[in-house]
Amino acid sequence: MKSKDFLSVADLTSERIKTIITNAEKLKTEGWKTQLNEKILALLFELPSLRTRVSFEVGMRQLGGQCIYLSPDEVQLGKRESIPDVARVLSRMVDVIALRTTSHDNLEILANNASVPVINALSNVEHPCQALADMLTIYEHKEILEGLTLAYIGDGNNTAHSLMLAAALCGMDFRIASPKGYRVDEKILKTAQQFAADSQSTILCTEDPKQAAEKADVLYTDVWISMGQEAEAKQRKAIFGKYQINSQLLGLAKPDAIIMHPLPAHHGQEVAENIIYSPQSVVFDEAENRLHAQKALLVDIMGGSEILMPDLR
Ligand code: CP
Ligand code: NVA
């Protein structure tokens, strides 16, 4: 793996994640510019997307670069051509590759064989680009990250893993309520616990959504059935029934708590009807911030903060 790959939030240090968030804010609010002239990002997507694809495409254009979207049917990763060969060929032509896949192992194979940086645009294990946008969104609404409490209600999935690592790196207390059998991965939890020890924050895993939500600053949820888990839909709907963000759970959080969800959402499942449109919901800020956070990530990967400059127009 190369130092500029971004497969996991754990590839970042607490200093680097804070720099990316600060730069994302400058790019968003102060009209800061960069010089990513003519860089090309290949978007290799094996799964559907709205936010991730559009935010990368728009972000690269705004930075002066371009994207090439490669659909699953086109490349047929590992079927039409081996993953190492795809990595070698793309590395000869593009400057960075983003892969969305249900196989984190394939993502690692791609990164290990590419000579250009590889970004995780969502895998079955992590969704690190989402976590960057989430940290930016929380910072915008709360003006601080250290010392806040984030309560995640639901599946210990890709989104939860990246969020837990990011919260621990940023000094936020992280609580997760998941049913037995759907908790976060033990290895990722251990890494997050190390980050939390360094940032003097805490991590709590529970089966009780109420315990997680109590006096939280942020209530976060994600779908019960992630991409690739469609065959488990019936079983998951039955198991996750009480892991819903609704007005009762919101009543336990701090009065100014914000509600977050990476989207797409299933109203009436992980979020009660209309909760996404309540005044406390920031889900569309979160979606917009995918753009700003990923621009800052691309700057970090392809140039560093020194290529950021104030807009002098
Ligand atoms: N949140 C998110 O990754 O959305 P998409 O699946 O639409 O890209
Ligand atoms: N956990 C979800 C996130 C979608 C953005 C999934 O993997 O489908």
Side-chain angles (χ1 to χ4, degrees):
M1 208 181 103
K2 303 167 294 298
S3 66
K4 289 291 186 182
D5 287 336
F6 185 50
L7 307 192
S8 161
V9 171
D11 296 336
L12 303 177
T13 58
S14 83
E15 206 172 301
R16 197 164 154 217
I17 194 169
K18 284 174 192 161
T19 302
I20 292 171
I21 296 163
T22 309
N23 287 347
E25 254 217 310
K26 285 177 184 160
L27 286 158
K28 179 175 182 177
T29 61
E30 294 176 26
W32 283 49
K33 298 274 178 214
T34 66
Q35 293 171 318
L36 281 191
N37 293 340
E38 291 163 22
K39 298 278 188 196
I40 310 282
L41 165 63
L43 295 175
L44 197 49
F45 276 34
E46 299 194 296
L47 296 163
S49 168
L50 172 64
R51 283 142 289 269
T52 309
R53 178 176 173 186
V54 175
S55 53
F56 270 124
E57 293 222 14
V58 172
M60 275 304 276
R61 269 189 226 184
Q62 290 180 353
L63 293 171
Q66 285 184 45
C67 276
I68 299 173
Y69 176 75
L70 295 158
S71 70
D73 288 348
E74 205 158 2
V75 179
Q76 298 173 40
L77 206 61
K79 294 189 193 87
R80 182 170 183 266
E81 193 159 6
S82 77
I83 300 169
D85 281 0
V86 171
R88 289 178 193 117
V89 171
L90 284 176
S91 298
R92 296 287 183 107
M93 298 185 201
V94 306
D95 302 284
V96 56
I97 304 166
L99 174 63
R100 170 168 278 212
T101 176
T102 50
S103 169
H104 196 84
D105 291 344
N106 286 355
L107 181 69
E108 287 181 347
I109 296 171
L110 188 84
N112 288 336
N113 289 279
S115 57
V116 298
V118 173
I119 297 173
N120 180 354
L122 180 147
S123 75
N124 53 324
V125 177
E126 277 207 50
H127 196 2
C129 295
Q130 182 67 51
L132 294 181
D134 295 339
M135 291 299 118
L136 173 62
T137 308
I138 297 168
Y139 187 70
E140 275 179 351
H141 285 273
K142 298 289 177 191
E143 296 177 354
I144 196 165
L145 294 174
E146 289 89 353
L148 294 179
T149 298
L150 191 163
Y152 180 104
I153 312 297
D155 192 13
N157 62 12
N158 46 7
T159 302
H161 288 150
S162 293
L163 198 62
M164 174 171 71
L165 290 164
L169 275 178
C170 293
M172 296 172 68
D173 292 332
F174 183 84
R175 301 185 198 146
I176 179 162
S178 324
K180 222 173 167 183
Y182 297 88
R183 297 171 79 125
V184 287
D185 176 82
E186 277 301 318
K187 207 169 146 219
I188 299 175
L189 176 61
K190 281 212 167 66
T191 306
Q193 282 166 335
Q194 282 162 8
F195 290 158
D198 291 344
S199 69
Q200 296 179 332
S201 58
T202 59
I203 298 176
L204 171 81
C205 300
T206 173
E207 282 178 42
D208 180 3
K210 289 183 186 147
Q211 189 189 4
E214 187 76 35
K215 296 198 169 52
D217 298 283
V218 181
L219 281 188
Y220 197 116
T221 191
D222 185 19
V223 292
W224 295 339
I225 303 138
S226 286
M227 290 181 276
Q229 297 172 338
E230 292 77 8
E232 299 167 38
K234 202 172 160 207
Q235 183 191 346
R236 283 177 168 265
K237 276 185 203 163
I239 289 169
F240 280 93
K242 67 171 186 169
Y243 293 83
Q244 182 191 65
I245 296 190
N246 49 32
S247 43
Q248 199 195 356
L249 209 63
L250 188 58
L252 298 173
K254 286 193 183 153
D256 63 349
I258 54 173
I259 298 161
M260 299 182 73
H261 190 306
L263 303 180
H266 296 98
H267 304 219
Q269 289 188 26
E270 74 275 4
V271 275
E273 279 307 330
N274 288 331
I275 204 108
I276 272 190
Y277 310 115
S278 78
Q280 283 165 270
S281 165
V282 299
V283 299
F284 296 107
D285 293 341
E286 216 181 330
E288 179 191 333
N289 282 338
R290 294 294 305 276
L291 170 65
H292 309 295
Q294 280 154 217
K295 281 170 74 179
L297 172 71
L298 291 164
V299 166
D300 177 87
I301 287 176
M302 289 194 276
S305 298
E306 61 273 16
I307 65 163
L308 268 175
M309 57 195 139
D311 183 3
L312 299 175
R313 285 173 309 166

